[in-house]
Structures are given as structure tokens and as C-alpha cells.
Amino acid sequence: MLVEIDGSIYEGGGAIFRNSLALSAATQRPVKVFRIRAKRSKPGLRPQHLMVAKALTRMTLGKATGLAIGSQEVIFYPQRVLGGSYVLDIGTAGSITLLLQAILPAAVFASSKVKLKVIGGTDVPMAPPVDYFHHVFLPALRDMGVIVHLKLLRRGHYPKGGGICEVEVDPVNVLAPILRLERGEITRVSGVAHAVRLPKHVVERIASSAEDALRRHGIEGVEIKRDYRPNRGHLGPGAGIVLWAIDDLGNVLGADALGKRGKPSEQVGREAAEKLIKEIQSGCPVDRHLGDMLIPYMAMASGRSEIRVSCLTLHTLSNIAVAEKILGVSFSVSGREGAPATIAVEGAAIRRS
């Protein structure tokens, strides 16, 4: 039976399309997504969304209609998920991590190991930076039994892109549930500050300002790696920072900030530090961005998952709506949008075919 998803619900952005196709591919349940990105200034598919659809169609030996820039309706008929090696070139500075968010739910149930070489943006606005993906999101997936290896070969920033990541995914037969309700004591804060094709003092100023801001809140011993890349084949300049805090229960909270022309380096570091401090002060074990990223996996897992998030976002609510529609699960949400919330679900126990 064809599941119909209205792409205009909640924030009405690309996440609804990506998650619909991701869960469709993982479960081999066909979907029709209409009014795609209806609330964006340029509705319909953009190059990065088109790449998601084409990649999943290829990986699942599927069929799809409506695959064109600007299309606001796509029908997707997946079959089984195939392992193997794939090169995915977004062709723009479209986010590599957003593409991976759509690919990974299917790849974890592939017939064999999946190897990806993805070309696009690694550190771009409105998307998780690659270092957040690596140090915050992937450890959470490990708790659910999923092993993903990610190697950053080259950074890519808006507008030129050109970043390169290599990813390997070891498939599983079934996902374990995740339980993150309690926050422990913060034992370590780490991070990566980077600057590409910019003066070396940029990365030092970003990292030092983050360290100073954290120190003013009583957080000592912060370890921030300086990743300075003067050229090394990168297409354009860019800078940013990702910070993460680890507690004694193994929870990881993350925060980030990007540089841009006219934005002082000190502001970039301070912004990321203040975001992380806010996450720590929430007392929750799951940050606002990790919360929405975990929803598809919680819905597919075998058993009851339950998490406490620092902020219930529209992204999280839209991901819940899509998962409920495609998988037939029922989430319980205790909390309101914009505030801390507890999210629970009895997963659909999806298994590798």
C-alpha cells in the first residue's frame, strides 16, 4: 500500500522528504510525498534532495517518478537494500551529513557492507557539521548496534562545496533500542575548530574564544583540536567549530557555530560555547539536534526507546509524524515545542530482509 506524506507539515522543509524516503527504503514500503518543501522560498526538490532520491533508488533497485529540480511530488517504490560501493556527488555545497541522514537508515539494513564516497558540503548552514555527525551522532548509533566509520578527506563550505567524506556502514539484523533519560556529571569537553584557506590566526582565535567562554562557566581542561588547512585542494575559504561534552554515563551533547564573511572569529567560538553551555544547563542527556536525528532509528528498533531532549523542535515533531505514518508506531511526547521533552516509542522491530 502506498503511504502518502504531506511535505508541508510542521516546518515544511526538506527533512520531511529525506526521512520519508529513508524509512521507505529501509522498510521497502512505497511512499508518495507531495507538497515537497512547500514552506520554503524555493519549493520542490533542490539538487541535494534530488541526489537523495537518486541514491536511494539506485541502492534499492527501486523506481521513482517526479525526480526533477523543482518537483513537488515524488512517488518512490523501493525493493531490497543492496550493499556495495557508491559515489555520491551532490554537485553543489549541499550538505553531506543531510544526505547521510537519508542514506544511513537504509544502509544499516543492506544485504552487505555499504561503502560511500560523498562529495558536497561538510560544514554548511542549516545542517549538522561533519564533526558533530562524527563525534555526537555516530556514538549514539553505536549504542543501537550500528557501526559507521567516517573519514573526512576534504572540507567543503558554502558556496563552492567540494568536501569529501568516505563512509563505511556495517549492516545489522535488527536495531537495539536506546534509553537516555538521565544526565550524569560532565567529565570532558572536547572540540574541533577549523579554518580552510584563511590565515592561521583564525582557527586559533575561534578555539581560544571558545575555551575562554567555557572557562568563565567553570569548565576547565577543554581540549579543542586546531584543524588548519591552508589549501590542500580545498575549493573555498571557510571556518567553524564543533564542541561536545561527555558525561560519566556516556551521553554526548554537541554544539557548533560557523564563520562567515564579516563575523569575528571570537564570535564564532563564543557562540558555540554558549550553545553547549545551554545544553549542559538543561540537564538533559540528548541535545536538541541529536533528538530529531534519533527518531527514525527509535521507530525502527526492536523494543522500547526513550530519550530526554533539551528542546523539542519542529524537526523532531515532523520526523515523528513521518515515522508514525510509514511504520505504524505511536510515539508519546511529554513536553511542549521549544522546551525539554521526553520522547518514547515501542519500535517496529524492522529486520534485515
Side-chain angles (χ1 to χ4, degrees):
M1 179 184 296
L2 188 68
V3 180
E4 298 194 9
I5 304 292
D6 184 347
S8 70
I9 61 172
Y10 292 107
E11 92 284 355
I16 298 167
F17 177 74
R18 288 190 302 270
N19 279 292
S20 296
L21 265 63
L23 290 177
S24 172
T27 60
Q28 291 86 61
R29 298 173 186 177
V31 294
K32 173 184 176 181
V33 189
F34 58 96
R35 300 183 69 192
I36 296 169
R37 300 182 67 250
K39 295 180 181 176
R40 294 298 185 253
S41 58
K42 292 183 179 179
L45 299 181
R46 304 304 300 156
Q48 60 268 35
H49 310 108
L50 190 59
M51 175 54 69
V52 165
K54 288 183 175 179
L56 287 174
T57 300
R58 180 182 170 196
M59 289 178 66
T60 62
L61 295 176
K63 296 180 180 179
T65 63
L67 300 189
I69 299 296
S71 172
Q72 294 189 54
E73 181 175 298
V74 169
I75 301 177
F76 178 51
Y77 294 93
Q79 297 187 55
R80 64 193 300 261
V81 186
L82 299 178
S85 298
Y86 302 89
V87 177
L88 308 177
D89 187 348
I90 299 171
T92 66
S95 169
I96 287 175
T97 58
L98 291 183
L99 175 62
L100 289 175
Q101 280 188 47
I103 300 295
L104 290 184
V108 298
F109 294 113
S111 59
S112 60
K113 183 188 289 284
V114 174
K115 296 183 179 181
L116 305 168
K117 182 177 182 179
V118 191
I119 305 165
T122 59
D123 301 89
V124 294
M126 307 299 291
V130 66
D131 294 307
Y132 178 95
F133 205 80
H134 191 185
H135 294 284
V136 181
F137 175 59
L138 294 187
L141 280 194
R142 277 200 297 272
D143 286 352
M144 304 185 78
V146 179
I147 305 299
V148 178
H149 304 280
L150 186 152
K151 184 176 182 181
L152 172 62
L153 301 183
R154 188 169 72 192
R155 292 189 184 271
H157 298 83
Y158 181 83
K160 294 185 177 180
I164 303 174
C165 290
E166 290 181 345
V167 180
E168 289 190 8
V169 185
D170 295 326
V172 299
N173 291 322
V174 66
L175 288 168
I178 187 168
L179 185 66
R180 292 195 175 187
L181 293 174
E182 302 295 331
R183 238 282 309 284
E185 292 295 321
I186 299 298
T187 58
R188 181 161 59 94
V189 174
S190 301
V192 178
H194 76 269
V196 172
R197 299 190 71 168
L198 289 168
K200 191 173 184 180
H201 65 76
V202 170
V203 70
E204 182 59 42
R205 288 162 57 201
I206 291 173
S208 295
S209 65
E211 291 166 343
D212 290 344
L214 291 166
R215 194 176 298 115
R216 285 195 297 271
H217 281 80
I219 301 174
E220 302 285 351
V222 179
E223 299 177 358
I224 300 178
K225 175 184 175 183
R226 277 72 162 166
D227 181 9
Y228 175 58
R229 305 186 184 212
N231 192 340
R232 300 182 191 173
H234 294 79
L235 300 187
I241 184 171
V242 173
L243 300 171
W244 58 93
I246 303 174
D247 72 11
D248 55 7
L249 299 178
N251 299 306
V252 186
L253 304 169
D256 65 272
L258 279 176
K260 64 179 180 180
R261 186 181 296 274
K263 184 177 182 179
S265 299
E266 289 78 10
Q267 183 181 341
V268 177
R270 186 168 58 251
E271 180 183 318
E274 289 172 352
K275 286 180 181 178
L276 185 65
I277 290 163
K278 187 175 181 180
E279 292 291 348
I280 292 172
Q281 290 176 342
S282 77
C284 297
V286 178
D287 70 58
R288 59 187 295 146
H289 299 299
L290 181 60
D292 76 68
M293 295 167 73
L294 288 176
I295 295 300
Y297 300 91
M298 293 168 62
M300 293 190 295
S302 177
R304 181 177 175 83
S305 292
E306 193 167 3
I307 60 174
R308 178 74 176 166
V309 298
S310 62
C311 181
L312 182 63
T313 66
L314 282 178
H315 268 108
T316 305
L317 292 170
S318 65
N319 288 357
I320 287 172
V322 168
E324 289 182 333
K325 196 80 180 287
I326 294 176
L327 297 174
V329 296
S330 181
F331 279 82
S332 68
V333 179
S334 175
R336 57 180 176 82
E337 183 196 339
T342 301
I343 304 170
V345 66
E346 186 71 30
I350 301 301
R351 295 184 177 274
R352 183 162 59 145
S353 59

